[in-house]
Amino acid sequence: MADQSFNAFAMAQRQFDRVAEMLGLDEAARALLRNPDREFHFNIPVRMDDGSVTVFRGFRVQHNDARGPCKGGIRFHPQETVDTVRALATWMTWKCAVVNIPLGGGKGGVICDPHHLSMREQEGICRGWVRQVGRAIGPVQDVPAPDVMTTGQHMLWMMDEYEKMNGGHFPGMITGKPLGQGGSEGRTEATGYGVVYTLREALLRKSIDIATTTASVQGFGNVAQFAIEAYTNLGGNVVCVSSWDQGDQCSYTFKRDSGVDLDELRSMTDRFGGIDKTKATAAGYEVLDGGAWIAQDVDILMPCALENQVNAETVLKVSERVKFMAEGANGPTTPEADEVLAAKSVFVIPDFLCNAGGVTCSYFEQVQCNMNYFWPKDEVLERLDSIMTKAFHAVTDLAEQHGVIMRDAAYMIAIQRVAEACRLRGLV
Ligand code: GLU
């Protein structure tokens, strides 16, 4: 996000335009789907711990709800922009459609840096966010969830504020809640696990034994950690992870050829996924610059951090050995980089398919909240695996059939589903 010239929404529109053209989508559907349905921009005044008031800027963008209530996370990030939120909301529409769950797309954000905010101040932001946009969200309108630097605790404060506004219990108004408070087993793991379910299937299709592969992961937040866990459980070896260093305001790559140890790294990590350099060095990790994760001689790359990380410049560092890329992040790869990866025959599992496990489990969470009956973890993960596996093969079959890249095939399925819903409703 440091690159000011990068605009995630312009990229999302470019990806959409390309496939809308391939599909011969009519003009009205294009006009409807290339911009969000509606958006909210607002102030959130918060009384800080020192007694002063800080006014934060908040957003909620509702891209499309033709297939069901808008759905998507809320990010807390110092460099958040409305265009980033627009892009992420748009990608949520395609994400829910490609895995065929009855939800639309939305996203929220607040420009803030939780590294410098107490929990009480963060609670103030959460409650203020809901007070500003509470009438436009809800179980049948728009359902938020966690994303970058937000957790189950943030969701619970938001739910509590919403319930105060509306007088009742509405656990289906938000997902990613803690267990026992309307949360679902497996929700925390779901995005990272889902990344690996699709990767496992990609390797199977190419008859590669996952236990013979190595991977390099960008990021060490929630998605990355559970992707590492699932991949390692299947016998894969992660040799590299990168993480943001708050003190130095840059990221570093932590490398160990024998493989990273997830629990060991977790024990030296702050709550935002920042790994302690000194402790990591003592444990035998080589500390490299933040961009080194992409240049590793591995079979698989997993960008699990932010957007615009695999771009025209960084893609040139991708080793000849890399044959798969599983996008745990939203929007990590630019269209220019896609072309280079296609020329190198890298099998890219595109973001809104690869990382759809989170929202799929959020959908399960809503279903369980509606029934007020909660499933055991095994059942949640089994259902998740089945939806992810089915969606992955549908996209891969279409990509092979039409000779297009995986991202275009995923867009073809998603756009057709959403356009059809808009047509059936008489919107276009
Ligand atoms: N923030 C996650 C995503 O980007 C999950 C969204 C949700 O569960 O609604 O997919």
Side-chain angles (χ1 to χ4, degrees):
M1 292 227 288
D3 178 1
Q4 300 298 322
S5 64
F6 173 74
N7 184 311
F9 187 50
M11 175 170 127
Q13 287 189 317
R14 206 169 136 193
Q15 291 169 336
F16 168 76
D17 290 342
R18 172 187 160 94
V19 179
E21 190 62 34
M22 285 164 65
L23 291 171
L25 198 68
D26 63 90
E27 281 309 317
R30 285 190 208 203
L32 188 70
L33 296 176
R34 77 188 302 280
N35 282 300
D37 273 350
R38 66 193 75 82
E39 49 188 56
F40 304 86
H41 303 205
F42 44 89
N43 287 336
I44 308 173
V46 174
R47 176 79 55 193
M48 306 300 276
D49 291 347
D50 66 2
S52 67
V53 170
T54 301
V55 180
F56 295 93
R57 197 74 185 144
F59 309 104
R60 184 69 183 175
V61 174
Q62 297 174 341
H63 174 258
N64 187 277
D65 64 355
R67 287 175 42 87
C70 294
K71 186 82 193 79
I74 302 173
R75 308 206 310 181
F76 282 1
H77 201 282
Q79 265 106 45
E80 194 63 291
T81 69
V82 70
D83 271 338
T84 314
V85 183
R86 285 177 178 133
L88 292 160
T90 310
W91 287 324
M92 285 308 302
T93 301
W94 312 135
K95 193 180 300 192
C96 294
V98 81
V99 289
N100 213 4
I101 54 175
L103 295 165
K107 204 79 170 198
V110 178
I111 306 173
C112 69
D113 189 351
H115 288 97
H116 304 300
L117 296 167
S118 70
M119 290 312 273
R120 202 201 63 84
E121 290 164 342
Q122 293 184 47
E123 178 178 349
I125 295 178
C126 290
R127 292 187 185 277
W129 192 92
V130 170
R131 279 197 299 275
Q132 284 291 35
V133 81
R135 279 172 191 79
I137 61 171
V140 294
Q141 288 161 283
D142 179 6
V143 184
D147 203 283
V148 172
M149 286 200 268
T150 56
T151 64
Q153 175 65 79
H154 298 95
M155 301 305 110
L156 206 59
W157 286 323
M158 290 183 167
M159 183 183 84
D160 187 67
E161 192 64 28
Y162 183 86
E163 291 184 342
K164 284 197 173 99
M165 282 171 74
N166 291 283
H169 281 279
F170 298 93
M173 66 76 52
I174 203 158
T175 62
K177 302 181 293 298
L179 290 175
Q181 288 289 332
S184 171
E185 291 282 358
R187 176 62 187 87
T188 311
E189 298 89 338
T191 312
Y193 280 15
V195 167
V196 175
Y197 295 154
T198 62
L199 175 63
R200 178 196 66 205
E201 295 304 308
L203 291 163
L204 262 177
R205 277 183 92 117
K206 299 286 173 196
S207 308
I208 296 171
D209 176 6
I210 197 164
T212 65
T213 63
T214 55
S216 176
V217 178
Q218 186 191 32
F220 199 62
N222 178 260
V223 179
Q225 290 190 25
F226 287 105
I228 295 169
E229 184 171 290
Y231 173 70
T232 312
N233 285 345
L234 293 176
N237 189 23
V238 175
V239 294
C240 239
V241 304
S242 79
S243 90
W244 178 252
D245 189 285
Q246 183 60 19
D248 295 353
Q249 287 289 299
C250 67
S251 54
Y252 291 103
T253 300
F254 298 83
K255 183 177 180 187
R256 195 164 69 181
D257 289 331
S258 60
V260 307
D261 180 327
L262 184 60
D263 290 333
E264 178 185 61
L265 282 180
R266 276 176 172 154
S267 75
M268 45 182 89
T269 298
D270 68 22
R271 67 196 154 105
F272 303 104
I275 300 170
D276 185 309
K277 292 195 294 297
T278 316
K279 288 184 186 161
T281 309
Y285 291 88
E286 208 181 326
V287 182
L288 307 170
D289 71 83
W293 74 277
I294 204 173
Q296 300 304 312
D297 198 26
V298 289
D299 306 298
I300 300 157
L301 293 176
M302 294 193 227
C304 297
L306 294 171
E307 53 279 358
N308 189 30
Q309 299 303 301
V310 186
N311 52 39
E313 200 183 309
T314 59
V315 76
L316 301 176
K317 299 187 203 154
V318 172
S319 139
E320 287 305 316
R321 178 161 159 200
V322 171
K323 284 290 164 262
F324 296 86
M325 191 161 88
E327 298 182 339
N330 289 313
T333 307
T334 65
E336 293 76 17
D338 263 338
E339 278 180 33
V340 178
L341 293 168
K344 289 184 174 204
S345 303
V346 176
F347 190 123
V348 177
I349 311 169
D351 53 359
F352 68 86
L353 168 66
C354 191
N355 70 32
V359 75
T360 302
C361 197
S362 278
Y363 164 57
F364 296 156
E365 184 175 329
Q366 272 201 305
V367 171
Q368 293 169 84
C369 285
N370 288 342
M371 295 190 295
N372 202 13
Y373 177 78
F374 291 83
W375 310 333
K377 190 168 179 177
D378 284 356
E379 185 174 342
V380 173
L381 295 179
E382 226 170 85
R383 287 177 190 269
L384 179 66
D385 195 344
S386 135
I387 289 187
M388 295 298 292
T389 299
K390 189 170 169 205
F392 171 82
H393 288 293
V395 171
T396 314
D397 288 345
L398 194 75
E400 284 174 5
Q401 202 182 318
H402 289 266
V404 297
I405 60 170
M406 287 287 286
R407 193 178 317 280
D408 288 348
Y411 264 108
M412 285 165 78
I413 292 177
I415 293 174
Q416 275 172 322
R417 284 190 179 143
V418 178
E420 177 64 6
C422 295
R423 258 192 299 277
L424 285 170
R425 283 171 177 270
L427 300 175
V428 289

